[in-house]
Amino acid sequence: MTEKAKPSPEAIKAWARLMRVSRQLMERAEDALKEGGLPPLAWYDVLHELAEAGEGGLRPFQLIERTLFAQYNISRLLARLEADGLVEKLPVADDGRGQTIRVTSKGRETRRRMWAIYGRSIEELVGAKLSSDELSTVSALLGRLRHPPTAD
């Protein structure tokens, strides 16, 4: 590592705090879902993306791109969601081995129940602790760390 590539003490502190806070917030949201007798947060992410895709569903590679799960993780997760009746796999007409994944009505209901707790967690853990201006600043700063930049 060259001298120029070394992170500053401020960058190290920011990184460490970002990692710790991110992990703590996710754990607390996961705990709230668990206490509510609901599946893990990863399930919500997949159900959300499939619901947003509409009746056409998504191909597995599209779901991987949208959720940033590894292929082997998404395959196992989809198998579990299918076994629980939350998603269905449909054949792709022009691709004999291809599949489209679509959320079922049970999956939409599970997502709705999860959001009631997950959304409340977001408000309690973040929204209630920062002003609107502070939330906008945090969002803008974190947006600058994304690569490639996106509009979200």
Side-chain angles (χ1 to χ4, degrees), residues 25 29 115 117-129 135:
L25 294 175
W115 176 248
I117 291 174
Y118 183 31
R120 187 170 49 244
S121 292
I122 292 170
E123 176 55 27
E124 291 171 0
L125 297 170
V126 179
K129 294 184 178 188
L135 290 168

Side-chain angles (χ1 to χ4, degrees), residues 72-91:
Y72 63 90
N73 287 335
I74 204 76
S75 295
R76 284 193 296 240
L77 180 53
L78 288 173
R80 181 69 196 272
L81 291 169
E82 184 181 30
D84 284 3
L86 304 179
V87 302
E88 59 185 346
K89 294 179 181 175
L90 306 169

Side-chain angles (χ1 to χ4, degrees), residues 139 143 146 148-152:
S139 180
R146 288 193 56 137
T150 64
D152 67 7

Side-chain angles (χ1 to χ4, degrees), residues 21-77:
V21 169
S22 177
R23 185 182 65 243
Q24 289 169 350
L25 294 175
M26 295 299 286
E27 286 172 356
R28 290 172 74 187
E30 287 276 7
D31 289 346
L33 288 169
K34 190 175 186 176
E35 288 170 14
L38 293 165
L41 198 50
W43 289 37
Y44 179 86
D45 291 341
V46 170
L47 293 173
H48 173 75
E49 292 300 335
L50 290 172
E52 290 293 309
E55 286 301 310
L58 293 171
R59 301 282 299 267
F61 74 88
Q62 294 171 308
L63 200 49
I64 290 166
E65 290 171 356
R66 292 181 187 203
T67 60
L68 302 179
F69 287 113
Q71 190 277 327
Y72 63 90
N73 287 335
I74 204 76
S75 295
R76 284 193 296 240
L77 180 53

Side-chain angles (χ1 to χ4, degrees), residues 14 18 130 133-147 149 152:
L18 181 61
L130 299 172
D133 286 345
E134 289 169 329
L135 290 168
S136 293
T137 299
V138 168
S139 180
L141 290 171
L142 292 174
R144 288 177 48 196
L145 297 178
R146 288 193 56 137
H147 184 17
D152 67 7

Side-chain angles (χ1 to χ4, degrees), residues 78-109:
L78 288 173
R80 181 69 196 272
L81 291 169
E82 184 181 30
D84 284 3
L86 304 179
V87 302
E88 59 185 346
K89 294 179 181 175
L90 306 169
V92 176
D94 60 346
D95 181 354
R97 295 183 343 163
Q99 297 178 329
T100 297
I101 313 300
R102 186 169 62 191
V103 67
T104 64
S105 58
K106 182 178 178 184
R108 283 189 290 278
E109 174 60 21

